Amino acid sequence: MTPGPTPVPPSAPALVLVRGDITRQSADALVNAANSSLLGGGGVDGAIHRRGGPAVLEECRALRASRYGRGLPTGQAVATTAGALDARWVIHTVGPVYQGPGTDPALLASCYRESLRVADELGARTVAFPAISTGVYRWPLDDAARVAVEAVRGARTAVAEVRFVLFDEPAYQAFAAQLD
C-alpha cells in the first residue's frame, strides 16, 4: 500500500495592523471582545452590537438559551451572524481581567487561538481582532500586544490574514513594536 500525499500544514497568517474602528472593517469575521453574558456591553462589545444590529443580539440570546446558559467562559470563542456589519460572522471571545503583575496570560492567548479555531471551522480567510482585554479589563497594552502576536503566530490556522484593528495610537504603537 502506498502512502497518500503528505498534508501540508497551514502557514502562518499575514499580520496586518490598522488604526481605526473594528466595526468599519470588511473581513470574513470580526472578533468581539465580549463580556460573558454575550448580550452586549461597553467598548468594542457595545459597538459591535450597535452596528451589527438586532440579528447579532438575537443569535447571542439563542446561544445563552442553549449552550451558554451561564455565559461564555473566559478564553473561549463562539460565532454568530455579523448582522449589518461588513463581515459574514462575529466571533465573540471573553478576555480575562488583568489582576496585576503575575497574572497568567494563558487565557488571553486562548482568546486568540480559540477565535482562530472557530474561524477555521467557519472557513474564514480574513479575521479582524481588537486589542482584547486592554480596555475596562485593564491588561497592559505592551503585554497584551506581545501575547496577541505570539498566540496568532503560533496558531495552526488556515486563516490567510489576521488584522489587528487598533482604536488609538498607543495601541497601534504597542502592536507595531511586536511586529518589528
Side-chain angles (χ1 to χ4, degrees):
M1 177 175 188
T2 58
T6 304
V8 177
S11 59
L15 302 183
V16 177
L17 299 183
V18 174
R19 181 163 174 222
D21 179 349
I22 196 166
T23 68
R24 301 287 185 183
Q25 293 296 302
S26 176
D28 292 333
L30 303 181
V31 176
N32 179 18
N35 66 50
S36 64
S37 78
L38 295 174
L39 301 179
V44 171
D45 194 18
I48 282 180
H49 275 270
R50 281 188 302 278
R51 191 163 313 258
V56 176
L57 181 57
E58 182 179 314
E59 284 195 26
C60 285
R61 284 187 175 140
L63 286 167
R64 284 299 305 269
S66 61
R67 294 176 27 205
Y68 299 105
R70 294 182 172 197
L72 182 65
T74 301
Q76 297 300 303
V78 65
T80 65
T81 182
L85 294 160
D86 190 8
R88 293 180 64 191
W89 304 283
V90 172
I91 299 173
H92 306 266
T93 189
V94 180
V97 175
Y98 184 73
Q99 301 294 328
T103 301
D104 185 357
L107 285 174
L108 182 56
S110 179
C111 291
Y112 291 94
R113 285 192 308 272
E114 286 296 304
S115 294
L116 290 172
R117 180 190 58 76
V118 170
D120 283 340
E121 289 175 358
L122 296 168
R125 301 289 291 148
T126 56
V127 177
F129 280 98
I132 298 167
S133 285
T134 62
V136 296
Y137 288 4
R138 304 180 313 275
W139 206 283
L141 263 175
D142 292 337
D143 192 49
R146 178 191 60 76
V147 171
V149 170
E150 286 177 4
V152 169
R153 281 184 171 154
R156 294 182 51 82
T157 182
V159 170
E161 178 185 289
V162 166
R163 194 175 315 145
F164 292 109
V165 183
L166 307 154
F167 193 70
D168 60 20
E169 191 62 22
Y172 185 92
Q173 292 303 323
F175 276 74
Q178 295 301 314
L179 297 183
D180 287 342

